[in-house]
Each structure stands twice: as structure tokens, then as C-alpha cells.
Amino acid sequence: MSEVTREAMEYDVVIVGAGPAGLSAAIRLKQLDAELNVVVLEKGSEVGAHILSGAVLDPVGLDALIPDWKEKGAPLNVPVKDDNFFMLGEAGKVRIPNFPMPPLMSNHGNYIVSMGNVCRWMAEQAEALGVEIFPGMACSEIVYGENGEVKGVVAGEFGRNPDGTEGPGYEPGMELHGKYVFLGEGVRGSLAKEVIGKYDLSKGKEPQKFGLGMKEIWEIDPEKHREGSVTHTMGWPLGSNAGGGSFIYHLENNQVYVGFVVHLNYKNPHLYPYMEFQRFKHHPMVAELLKGGKRVAYGARAISEGGYQSMPKMVAPGVALLGCSVGMVNVPRIKGNHNAMLSGKAAAEAAFAAIRADRSGDELSAYETEVRDGAIGKDLFKVRNVKPLWSKYGLAASLAVGGFDMWTNTLGFSVLGTLKHGKNDAEATGLAKDFKEIDYPKPDGKLSFDRLTNVSFSFTNHEESQPAHLRLLDPSVPVTVNLPKFDEPAQRYCPAGVYEVVREDGKDPRFVINFQNCVHCKTCDIKDPSQNILWTVPQGGDGPNYPNM
Ligand SMILES: Cc1cc2nc3c(=O)[nH]c(=O)nc-3n(C[C@H](O)[C@H](O)[C@H](O)COP(=O)(O)OP(=O)(O)OC[C@H]3O[C@@H](n4cnc5c(N)ncnc54)[C@H](O)[C@@H]3O)c2cc1C
């Protein structure tokens, strides 16, 4: 590629990603000093387009950031009314009572929300304070300063040909420079990954762990709808094949979020997470709820699960990592949005103090200290052993011993110390010859759907005349290494059917990347056993367009 000259714009703080973390940082900076120049860059076609919406939100982050959010019309309309946990067998279920659960597991005081709508509302608040927000602006490169510090990002490059050369309508994009750059890209951020590698920020930490979360929005029979109801399940269909479970949240307008998470440290490369999700909906409890309803949207996204012991160092010269670019999900609660908001607020406060002291381009160590020792660290510390227990000893041990450990940590002590995660998720993948293939029932088109049909309900679009944003470090690896050793698991772990091994008579198998289908979940970047797939940002505006619901 040729050397490109770009215009540069100067800001006090440049924020990548209009998720809850990035927007909270922007809002807090302008609350502290209305004169600060703050810009937020978002790769989605609009704020919220890439936010895999339905969630139970702990409002603690919003309370701290905008205490009068109710008066300001925040879209938190559905308080949680009941909390249900079930252990599923193939045809039956056992209810786990709420009383033995530690208080942190209660959803009392939380809200069922569309996080896309919450982010849209936060963007309005930020713009009212004078933040510049540019959607459709993918940040594709980090700009480094003379002393090796992060000085800015490149955003908005368009119009390269599929081979990477400049096309007729080529736009080089802009450099956006800041005294500080915040990376709020969410889980497995591509720029965050570069920064973590360059400054060796994971040194001495446990590897980050992940799950793959898939979600559908359903409109169901009003007779069966129970606004404010929250259900979590574990057990069937995953059994001992993988960790994970489901969630079913009843929001407004007879809609239900139905989701399924598969921990990505599963060993059997024949496992097909998407089909596990589809199969789950045929459980009598779920089938009865969804029968007669219709699926109106589908999406998928990785979720960070490493927790306290996996958080990398989150500052380097000129840059701070926010929210799930660090990995701040409380795994047993399946909640990270509150910590994302708190982290954005904390980073903003550290940058405000630094800029006021005439600093720039250095490490915001006050931010790191606040995350580790403040509310976020405390939230994650209590639950730090649940995931390693689950990975090593299975679901029963994680429920019993993990539950006990959460209780003792709530009371202020732990007998287990801090357990390690061990291998990363790619290394956890076993050899195909050592595991049985799994027979998945064919989707029926009513409750369960084939992958490509469902992808059309993510409203994903990628301009085809651009380079594939999913890059192979070595193009031969999928067929020469992954296929014989792992039966090329990309064919199955991708929830959008991006990767195919095509076999034609008399020819060698071919590995095909249908990047147009990519829903930006990042699972390939995480789970490829050869770590040969690099997820990079496509042109701005491309990707899913999750609906405004
Ligand atoms: C299936 C599933 C269910 C979940 N359920 C819950 C729940 O019920 N409650 C809860 O609290 N949490 C839940 N979480 C976790 C929660 O989604 C995350 O903790 C939260 O999204 C983290 O916020 P963030 O701002 O760090 O990142 P994100 O919300 O991921 O936002 C990142 C934003 O940055 C943009 N971006 C990324 N890279 C670039 C780039 N290079 N250039 C420009 N823009 C970029 C993205 O498009 C996106 O808009 C769930 C997660 C999953 C996957």
C-alpha cells in the first residue's frame, strides 16, 4: 500500500467506540469542563447499530454518571420483577431457589433494557454537552508520537480495492490526535489488541477468557408475556461439552430477548455453538413460550469472561483502555455495562485532572488505580473464582464451590485465594480425532433457523468492493493445519456462517471467507486454534444494523 497523507484534527480527548464505556467518558469529560474538545468515533452506521442490545442493566453506573437520568428520560422502562434460575435436562427442569444465592446475584433494582436505545440516549446527552460524535467512522490504525506514545487514530478511510490498492473514490480518512486516546471498542477491540501487544500490557496477568453470546428478539403471544421477568438456565443442551447457559428477558411490547452463551474454552472442535442455541429453543419450557411468536432480530457478540485476574494493565503512554476492551464483565451476573460506564467515568476524571495539570501523552495511572481498587475491582474480585472453577471442574462445582466462594467473598474473605484460568480459549481446542462429532437436529424454520436466514435478521451489510476485513496471517493454514487437526472449527464457531470449507470433485478443499456476513462478534479472532485469523475493521458504517428496539 502507498504512503498516505492525511489531514489531522486536534482534540483534548479522542474516544474510539460509542458504547456505554466511550459515551460515559465523553459525558463525564464535558461535565467536568465544558471547554474540553472531545470526539467520539463509532464504526456503526449510527450509535447503537453495533450494540447487541437486550440486557439487564444494573443502574449503578448511570446513577454515578447522570444521577437524574429518570427525569432526563433515559430508556430504562422495565424494572425486573422476578428472577428465575433453572437447571435444564433434555425434557425437564429443576428450579434453583433464590435464597441460597449470594445477594450480588439478585436482579432487584435492575432494568431490562435495549442497550442500543440506552446508547442512543447517552449520545444525545453527550451531544447536548458539546461532544462531537461521528458514526460511520471506523478507526483502523493507531497513530504513534515521536516518543512512542499513542497520539491518535486514523478514522474514516474508504474506497480501497479488494487487493488493498486505492480505488477510484479513495478517501484516506483523517488523523484525530488527542492529548489522550481512549479505546472503548468493547470486547477484543482490534486497536486495543495492538496496544496490549505493543506495550505488553497483559504481562503477569491471566489470559483473557471469552464466551460467544447469541441473541434473538422475539415477539410472543401477549398471553404468555410477563413484562419484567428474567430467567437464566444452565445444563441442557450443552451438558459437559461446554460451559454456558441461556437468558430470557421479557421487555416491553410483548417482546422477549432470548440469548445463549457458550464459553469459548470448549475442547471438542466439532461443537457448533450456533446449533446449540437453536436446539435450546426446542426445550419444552422455551418452545412453549415462543410457539406462535416470531423472531424479529438476531445478533452475536463475544463476551469477556476472564474477570479480575485477566484485566491487562489498562494504561500506556497517551492511551487508556475502557470497558470490555479491558474485560469488565461480572460472569455469574452476566453484566458488564455498569462497569463499562464506571470505567468511562473514571478515565474521564483521570484525563481531566491530567489535562488541567498541563500533562498529555503520559500514563493515566489514576484511572488504573480507580478501576482496580474502586467499585469495578470490588465487583469483579468477589466473583473471580467462578469461571476458573467452572472451566476446571464443571458446572456442579462452579455452582456449589463457586457459590460458596461468592458468599465468603461477600462477607470479606476467601478460602480459595485467586484461581488461575490456565490456557487461552484457542489453546483449549482439542484435536478432532479425540472427540465425537455431534449430531444436531435440522432447524424447523419455526423455532429454530439456519444460520444464513438468521444472519439476514441482523441486517448486516458490507460493501463487497473492499478488502476482506478478516485476514489470514498464513492463507494455507485453514486447509493444511486446521482441517486435518481440528476439522476446521471456523465452519462451526462463527455464528454468521462467514467461514466455509468448499469441497469440489477432483479438487483440493478450499477455505472461503464470506466477510459480507460478519456480525463483528470477534469469535474467529479469539477461537481459531492456530491464531491465524486477524479481525480488522471494515469500512465505517458496515456491519450489523441492529434494530432500534
Ligand atoms: C450476549 C451478551 C449478553 C450480555 N448481557 C448483558 C447484560 O444483560 N447486562 C450487562 O450489563 N452486560 C451484558 N453483556 C456485556 C455487555 O454487553 C458489555 O459489558 C458492554 O457492551 C461493554 O461495553 P463497552 O462500551 O466496553 O463495549 P461495547 O458495548 O461493545 O461498545 C463498543 C463500541 O465501539 C465500537 N467500535 C469498536 N471498535 C471500533 C473501532 N475500531 N472504530 C470505531 N468504533 C469501534 C463498536 O461498534 C461499539 O459500538 C452482555 C454481552 C453479551 C455478548
Side-chain angles (χ1 to χ4, degrees):
M1 291 187 196
S2 61
E3 272 300 305
V4 178
T5 314
R6 298 186 170 94
E7 278 180 41
M9 286 175 77
E10 304 295 326
Y11 288 89
D12 289 306
V13 181
V14 173
I15 302 173
V16 178
L23 290 168
S24 299
I27 290 170
R28 188 66 187 143
L29 281 161
K30 294 295 269 186
Q31 287 173 339
L32 290 167
D33 183 352
E35 299 303 313
L36 287 175
N37 288 320
V38 181
V39 66
V40 179
L41 305 155
E42 167 56 47
K43 66 180 162 62
S45 58
E46 52 147 350
V47 172
H50 290 183
I51 300 290
L52 187 64
S53 251
V56 173
L57 179 68
D58 178 343
V60 64
L62 215 46
D63 288 342
L65 186 72
I66 307 178
D68 56 346
W69 55 261
K70 257 188 199 147
E71 293 72 44
K72 290 197 160 121
L76 277 63
N77 305 323
V78 181
V80 175
K81 288 191 193 132
D82 64 75
D83 235 344
N84 312 280
F85 288 88
F86 291 102
M87 182 67 81
L88 299 187
E90 183 160 1
K93 61 178 195 285
V94 175
R95 182 163 187 164
I96 304 173
N98 291 8
F99 70 84
M101 306 250 185
L104 64 90
M105 292 298 287
S106 165
N107 276 311
H108 182 77
N110 297 336
Y111 294 81
I112 301 175
V113 298
S114 153
M115 272 315 290
N117 285 349
V118 171
C119 287
R120 289 176 187 105
W121 175 83
M122 289 177 77
E124 282 167 22
Q125 307 306 304
E127 281 178 331
L129 292 167
V131 175
E132 290 177 44
I133 302 182
F134 297 128
M137 291 286 269
C139 301
S140 48
E141 281 176 50
I142 297 274
V143 180
Y144 295 98
E146 282 173 7
N147 302 315
E149 80 284 12
V150 171
K151 173 173 135 183
V153 292
V154 172
E157 191 187 42
F158 283 94
R160 283 200 186 272
N161 293 317
D163 64 1
T165 56
E166 293 169 15
Y170 178 69
E171 292 285 342
M174 312 258 321
E175 283 192 13
L176 296 108
H177 298 168
K179 292 177 179 146
Y180 294 98
V181 174
F182 289 175
L183 299 180
E185 297 177 287
V187 63
R188 197 67 162 196
S190 41
L191 299 182
K193 188 178 164 190
E194 175 179 325
V195 163
I196 290 169
K198 179 176 167 71
Y199 298 103
D200 203 8
L201 302 181
S202 287
K203 191 174 164 196
K205 314 287 184 213
E206 283 295 289
Q208 186 53 272
K209 305 293 283 183
F210 301 91
L212 166 60
M214 294 154 284
K215 193 170 340 189
E216 292 172 356
I217 305 178
W218 280 72
E219 274 168 21
I220 63 163
D221 178 352
E223 294 278 304
K224 299 178 195 168
H225 189 258
R226 301 193 323 271
E227 189 173 298
S229 172
V230 165
T231 296
H232 290 103
T233 75
M234 286 170 280
W236 191 86
L238 289 172
S240 57
N241 280 332
S246 84
F247 54 91
I248 303 173
Y249 304 152
H250 292 239
L251 62 159
E252 302 141 287
N253 304 326
N254 301 318
Q255 287 191 336
V256 179
Y257 296 124
V258 184
F260 201 80
V261 176
V262 177
H263 298 177
L264 285 174
N265 58 357
Y266 64 83
K267 295 188 180 119
N268 183 347
H270 303 295
L271 190 103
Y272 195 157
Y274 174 83
M275 292 305 282
E276 296 286 346
F277 176 30
Q278 297 308 305
R279 184 150 75 159
F280 156 75
K281 290 181 287 171
H282 288 272
H283 188 279
M285 180 184 93
V286 190
E288 178 48 33
L289 177 73
L290 301 181
K291 212 163 70 190
K294 66 171 182 191
R295 170 268 282 113
V296 293
Y298 166 75
R301 184 84 166 97
I303 179 166
S304 58
E305 295 186 338
Y308 189 82
Q309 54 274 57
S310 298
M311 285 196 293
K313 184 176 173 198
M314 50 205 94
V315 292
V319 67
L321 312 183
L322 313 184
C324 277
S325 288
V326 175
M328 296 183 180
V329 169
N330 180 316
V331 174
R333 298 180 75 203
I334 331 181
K335 287 185 187 60
N337 286 307
H338 61 301
N339 285 337
M341 290 179 186
L342 290 172
S343 81
K345 177 173 174 284
E349 287 166 1
F352 163 71
I355 292 169
R356 205 165 53 168
D358 249 352
R359 285 166 45 201
S360 68
D362 58 2
E363 288 191 5
L364 292 171
S365 46
Y367 165 58
E368 173 113 15
T369 306
E370 172 56 28
V371 171
R372 291 193 190 275
D373 300 347
I376 300 171
K378 290 191 172 78
D379 184 50
L380 298 180
F381 192 74
K382 284 185 205 141
V383 301
R384 68 197 180 286
N385 289 326
V386 173
K387 168 80 182 179
L389 282 167
W390 197 336
S391 308
K392 277 193 198 116
Y393 306 112
L395 176 57
S398 113
L399 280 175
V401 187
F404 171 76
D405 192 61
M406 282 196 285
W407 262 115
T408 58
N409 275 285
T410 305
L411 300 172
F413 69 100
S414 167
V415 287
L416 298 180
T418 298
L419 299 178
K420 292 182 186 304
H421 291 302
K423 291 177 182 168
N424 69 34
D425 294 333
E427 290 163 351
T429 315
L431 297 177
K433 68 177 176 53
D434 296 336
F435 292 89
K436 282 203 184 114
E437 290 191 25
I438 304 172
D439 190 20
Y440 291 101
K442 218 169 146 350
D444 69 355
K446 292 182 190 129
L447 288 177
S448 47
F449 310 99
D450 68 75
R451 219 169 17 176
L452 290 186
T453 305
N454 237 355
V455 171
S456 69
F457 283 80
S458 66
F459 311 101
T460 294
N461 179 48
H462 288 86
E463 179 57 57
E464 297 197 14
S465 60
Q466 62 180 309
H469 66 281
L470 301 158
R471 305 204 179 133
L472 298 176
L473 302 180
D474 177 344
S476 71
V477 162
V479 168
T480 59
V481 179
N482 284 359
L483 192 56
K485 284 176 81 174
F486 308 103
D487 193 24
E488 184 46 279
Q491 303 174 84
R492 292 171 294 281
Y493 62 59
C494 172
V498 165
Y499 302 100
E500 279 178 279
V501 175
V502 176
R503 290 181 169 88
E504 288 157 320
D505 279 350
K507 294 189 182 160
D508 289 337
R510 276 185 306 124
F511 188 62
V512 175
I513 302 179
N514 303 302
F515 75 89
Q516 303 83 345
N517 292 351
C518 174
V519 293
H520 297 199
C521 74
K522 319 267 177 93
T523 301
C524 52
D525 195 283
I526 296 164
K527 186 63 178 168
D528 175 31
S530 301
Q531 286 295 279
N532 184 49
I533 301 178
L534 188 65
W535 196 98
T536 64
V537 279
Q539 287 183 175
D542 286 2
N545 277 289
Y546 293 134
N548 185 7
M549 53 173 56

